[in-house]
Amino acid sequence: SVCLDVVDPSSAPSASPISNGSANGNELLTLVNSKHPLPSGWKVSLVQLKNGQSIDRRAYAALQDMMDDARRAGLSPLICSSYRTRAKQEELHKNQVQKFLSEGYSQSMAEQKASQWVAPPGTSEHELGLAVDIVATDHQLLDETQEHTPEQKWLMENCWKYGFILRYPTSKSSITGIGYEPWHFRYVGWPHAKLMEERHLVLEEYLEWLHDFPLGGEPLRFRGLGRLFELYYLPAWAADTLTLPADVPCQRCDTNEGGVVLTLWRDAG
């Protein structure tokens, strides 16, 4: 089940990547795909956008900043899809299956091919509330031609600055299980978006890479925004009894693949 809470945009947090230092889980790195379905009891607090779309309130300010900056650059981006209910995802997936059935595919093949383009219910990032589909206002086709629009070129180059990633790039379909979607952007926050952008990693690869930095060993260190970030990975079962330093701002991200990512930030010095 998914718990919803729609809030007023004015109460959404600022776009600052630095929280108040709480170690509470923010779940921005939650992995959702065919092998890792939406966590049971997932809760999402939504902000409704002017065009009727909705986004998780933790991503709202960064999304607004990104869209505003794109418009200031003379572009016209349009959010055509965002949070989806389970019922909506079921409808979209069923329609895609029917499309392939009408082309002569068997039921099993139609379902397989449909799932490469529309995630089956329970495995879609749109159900998280952290993903948005953005198109050019004058080119609202959800196909590969979208990558050639000035809007997508700008978003692909700049989205990481706002904590977003292009979730399904063209060369990573074998890893994500989803075909190329040059319109689908996922909010993961800082410093994760920057690290993924630098190393050209999708979320699956990024979490696997973080396994190389277990708590108790050397952390992954990254400097940015005047801070020194230190990242550790540990099994989810170990995180429940973890004692964190009270004098170091820290953030915990549950990943939905059996682990937890801890991010500490210090003054860069």
Side-chain angles (χ1 to χ4, degrees):
S1 62
V2 176
C3 299
L4 303 181
D5 176 28
V6 179
V7 302
D8 186 277
S10 63
S11 67
S14 71
S16 171
I18 304 300
S19 79
N20 62 4
S22 169
N24 294 332
N26 68 7
E27 300 172 319
L28 294 180
L29 293 179
T30 297
L31 179 65
V32 171
N33 56 27
S34 61
K35 297 179 181 178
H36 301 90
L38 191 76
S40 176
W42 177 260
K43 296 181 180 180
V44 54
S45 180
L46 298 171
V47 175
Q48 188 166 4
L49 307 179
K50 291 181 180 179
N51 64 353
Q53 300 290 340
S54 299
I55 186 77
D56 187 298
R57 69 189 305 269
R58 296 167 295 181
Y60 172 76
L63 176 63
Q64 288 298 103
D65 284 350
M66 184 169 71
M67 297 292 283
D68 289 345
D69 286 349
R71 295 185 183 108
R72 277 190 282 269
L75 305 171
S76 298
L78 173 69
I79 299 172
C80 66
S81 185
S82 52
Y83 172 75
R84 295 177 191 159
T85 63
R86 177 64 56 88
K88 181 62 175 180
Q89 193 65 29
E90 289 175 349
E91 175 188 347
L92 293 174
H93 187 260
K94 181 180 179 180
N95 290 343
Q96 193 72 7
V97 171
Q98 289 298 321
K99 174 180 178 292
F100 285 112
L101 286 174
S102 68
E103 295 177 4
Y105 289 94
S106 66
Q107 182 70 33
S108 61
M109 282 300 299
E111 291 178 358
Q112 180 179 335
K113 291 186 71 66
S115 297
Q116 294 175 353
W117 301 104
V118 179
T123 67
S124 171
E125 286 199 332
H126 285 285
E127 292 181 60
L128 280 174
L130 295 170
V132 287
D133 291 345
I134 306 176
V135 296
T137 300
D138 62 357
H139 189 79
Q140 298 183 32
L141 298 178
L142 293 181
D143 60 27
E144 294 188 12
T145 62
Q146 192 64 224
E147 74 173 354
H148 302 298
T149 65
E151 285 76 7
Q152 291 304 337
K153 291 179 180 179
W154 188 92
L155 287 167
M156 289 181 188
E157 182 178 348
N158 293 284
C159 66
W160 63 268
K161 300 174 183 177
Y162 307 88
F164 285 86
I165 57 170
L166 180 68
R167 182 65 177 91
Y168 304 119
T170 183
S171 60
K172 305 283 187 171
S173 295
S174 62
I175 299 171
T176 64
I178 299 293
Y180 178 37
E181 294 190 356
W183 57 83
H184 182 112
F185 295 88
R186 159 73 186 270
Y187 186 71
V188 295
W190 257 75
H192 311 295
K194 176 57 176 173
L195 288 166
M196 281 185 254
E197 187 271 339
E198 281 190 347
R199 288 180 166 262
H200 307 290
L201 301 176
V202 291
L203 184 55
E204 288 84 353
E205 294 173 307
Y206 180 63
L207 295 178
E208 183 65 29
W209 178 46
L210 291 181
H211 286 211
D212 294 338
F213 303 94
L215 188 64
E218 282 296 308
L220 168 61
R221 291 187 173 92
F222 172 79
R223 292 180 183 271
L225 301 176
R227 299 276 183 156
L228 172 62
F229 295 90
E230 296 181 347
L231 283 76
Y232 297 91
Y233 183 95
L234 67 158
W237 60 264
D240 293 335
T241 58
L242 181 67
T243 300
L244 296 170
D247 58 339
V248 180
C250 179
Q251 193 169 69
R252 163 181 170 162
C253 290
D254 294 85
T255 65
N256 195 37
E257 44 85 77
V260 168
V261 175
L262 293 179
T263 304
L264 288 74
W265 47 87
R266 309 174 187 273
D267 292 333

